Amino acid sequence: MKKIILGVTGGIAAYKAAELARVFVRSGAEVQVVMTPAAAEFIAPLTFQTLTGHPAYIEMYTERSGEKIRHIDLLSEADVFVVAPATANTIGKMAFGFADNLLTTLYLAADCPVIVVPSMNVNMFKHPAVKDNIDQLSRRGCLVMDPDQGELACGVYGSGRMPEPADIFLFTRAALKPKDYKGIKAIVTAGPTREPLDPVRFISNPSTGLMGYALARALSERGAEVTLISGPTHLRAPAGVKKVAVNTAEEMYRAVFDYYDKCRLVFKAAAVSDFRPLDEKKHKVKKADAAYNLELAPNRDILLELGKQKGSRHLIGFAAETKEVIENAHDKLLRKNLDLIIVNNLKEPGAGFAVPTNRVSIINRSGEVEKLPLMEKEELADHILDRVSDLL
Ligand code: CTP
């Protein structure tokens, strides 16, 4: 479990810090809130105490059962210190090394990563004094998150809004991950493909792309340069990932080979359609003219072709099976010249398409099987990357 120190300063966005504390707690983190006296004017310490299960500290010293607590001790074993919202005033004090309250004192004493989430009026954010202070903090290694654009509390439109708690959570999670994929170019394919019958009908499958998008995000968080080649999904490309949208298996084939030369890793999580209608009609087929039999033509197997031209790259395949799961998947790994294959049994609850969880086994070339419990696809993505990192 991660230990997060959440520093809250006195801006109107302080109310959003309550939701942020909640998001951190829900992710399984232990959260300790420290507030500036001004923050306590905007939101009650009791709100944070209720959400985190720990008192929110404001003062440097507190009497508790006759004993003085040194709040510097709050930092022991902290994994990250997140200052959100960070006002221009606190940013200035941090940049100049003031230690006039608990929060600024903790910043000076912190030896864990520090994340700063500026939040203020647009003109304040643009002011050279604030810019210089933010640059100073970045130079010293603080991770500064860009504010959102939008309507600010003062009624003006512009940059300075505190980002949504979910985005601050993702930024924090990324900061805590190892950067073991730094400098590595990776392709991830995701989602289904659509094979058109006519302008309004197609053959496809229920893939939503969740696994591939989770891998793309985790790779990017761990430092990789990621190209995500995606069939149609409703998912947003993760921050920092280049997305190439495709429709058919043939388009996916061409897009993958456009990027294959320069990449070192391919994660083939897409559910590629094995067949397409032999004859795609130019106009919508009318009911009266429809034939009852559909003639199909096979699509090229993208992964098989990648395996033939593999060189020193690493290829990771995915398989969804319903019987002889491990044997079928290992056969695929050998036939397609892969390094690892991730297989799930579609008959098991919580595994497979369109659910946020998966229960998989990871198989290597020598046929060793690692059977994993049911887990969130986001968590599974990092687990897969740990295994691939061992191979690299
Ligand atoms: N794959 C691919 N191109 C295809 C079909 C599959 O690149 N035309 C990839 C998938 O992205 C996946 C792996 O091959 O990583 C296994 O896909 P799967 O559909 O399970 O295997 P198939 O070889 O199509 O075997 P079968 O459908 O007979 O089980």
Side-chain angles (χ1 to χ4, degrees):
M1 187 161 82
K2 299 287 180 196
K3 181 170 170 192
I4 299 175
I5 310 289
L6 175 58
V8 183
T9 71
I12 180 62
Y15 79 94
K16 282 203 211 166
E19 179 58 22
L20 179 60
R22 216 171 131 100
V23 172
F24 282 148
V25 169
R26 242 193 254 136
S27 76
E30 185 194 336
V31 181
Q32 174 62 64
V33 173
V34 291
M35 308 171 76
T36 60
E41 300 286 324
F42 285 94
I43 184 162
L46 187 59
T47 305
F48 292 111
Q49 177 166 348
T50 313
L51 293 170
T52 64
H54 300 290
Y57 292 117
I58 306 171
E59 306 295 337
M60 295 283 270
Y61 293 94
T62 310
E63 293 275 353
R64 201 203 272 167
S65 50
E67 172 196 8
K68 283 200 168 159
I69 299 168
R70 287 189 66 230
H71 290 320
I72 295 288
D73 297 343
L74 290 173
L75 284 170
S76 73
E77 287 165 36
D79 293 290
V80 63
F81 182 20
V82 182
V83 185
T87 55
N89 187 39
T90 293
I91 288 171
K93 290 187 203 171
M94 288 166 75
F96 281 89
F98 286 18
D100 67 337
N101 62 36
L102 177 61
L103 192 150
T104 49
T105 306
L106 286 186
Y107 163 64
L108 291 182
D111 60 1
C112 58
V114 177
I115 292 175
V116 178
V117 187
S119 167
M120 64 197 74
N121 160 277
V122 59
N123 291 334
M124 289 170 83
F125 185 62
K126 282 198 294 204
H127 196 284
V130 174
K131 276 190 168 317
D132 284 353
N133 290 339
I134 288 178
D135 289 348
Q136 177 71 288
L137 291 180
S138 297
R139 273 196 299 276
R140 283 200 207 120
C142 286
L143 300 160
V144 181
M145 197 175 171
D146 288 335
D148 276 356
Q149 300 248 345
E151 197 186 334
L152 304 173
C154 48
V156 214
Y157 188 91
S159 196
R161 252 169 80 103
M162 176 158 131
E164 290 308 313
D167 292 329
I168 301 174
F169 167 74
L170 291 177
F171 189 92
T172 306
R173 195 179 64 176
L176 289 171
K177 285 195 182 174
K179 301 291 173 240
D180 48 349
Y181 282 81
K182 200 167 169 52
I184 292 180
K185 288 195 168 72
I187 295 175
V188 178
T189 72
T193 63
R194 283 184 181 172
E195 313 298 325
L197 283 133
D198 70 13
V200 295
R201 302 181 180 95
F202 54 81
I203 298 176
S204 193
N205 59 65
S207 168
T208 50
L210 282 171
M211 190 67 242
Y213 278 63
L215 275 165
R217 185 194 304 285
L219 275 161
S220 169
E221 288 173 346
R222 290 168 74 154
E225 198 181 303
V226 188
T227 305
L228 173 63
I229 299 174
S230 171
T233 81
H234 295 294
L235 303 176
R236 201 158 49 112
V241 166
K242 176 185 171 137
K243 176 168 166 175
V244 179
V246 297
N247 212 33
T248 64
E250 190 53 34
E251 284 170 21
M252 185 172 279
Y253 184 101
R254 288 199 295 266
V256 168
F257 275 94
D258 279 349
Y259 292 92
Y260 196 41
D261 260 3
K262 297 208 175 79
C263 88
R264 245 180 91 188
L265 279 175
V266 182
F267 294 82
K268 200 73 194 49
V272 185
S273 178
D274 288 325
F275 303 99
R276 66 180 182 279
L278 181 64
D279 175 25
E280 182 191 341
K281 303 279 191 269
K282 290 222 159 17
H283 296 284
K284 183 182 171 192
V285 175
K286 295 308 229 179
K287 216 171 2 200
D289 307 331
Y292 292 116
N293 295 320
L294 183 60
E295 268 202 272
L296 299 173
N299 279 328
R300 292 194 278 184
D301 189 318
I302 306 168
L303 198 47
L304 187 75
E305 294 305 320
L306 293 174
K308 287 181 191 163
Q309 307 174 36
K310 182 172 164 184
S312 60
R313 297 177 189 86
H314 285 85
L315 300 180
I316 295 90
F318 288 76
E321 304 286 345
T322 54
K323 60 176 189 183
E324 283 136 29
V325 173
I326 301 297
E327 297 73 9
N328 280 336
H330 191 238
D331 280 355
K332 266 178 208 174
L333 174 148
L334 295 177
R335 185 159 44 87
K336 302 193 186 191
N337 195 15
L338 312 177
D339 297 279
L340 289 179
I341 192 156
I342 323 298
V343 60
N344 58 24
N345 181 346
L346 287 179
K347 298 270 183 202
E348 286 184 357
F353 291 124
V355 282
T357 55
N358 211 346
R359 188 197 306 268
V360 304
S361 296
I362 303 180
I363 310 174
N364 67 13
R365 285 189 74 86
S366 38
E368 285 159 356
V369 181
E370 182 187 4
K371 199 168 165 26
L372 297 175
L374 186 76
M375 59 172 90
E376 297 284 318
K377 285 177 177 167
E378 296 271 348
E379 189 188 347
L380 176 58
D382 272 306
H383 195 91
I384 294 170
L385 294 191
D386 290 344
R387 289 295 159 272
V388 175
S389 192
D390 295 341
L391 294 178
L392 301 173

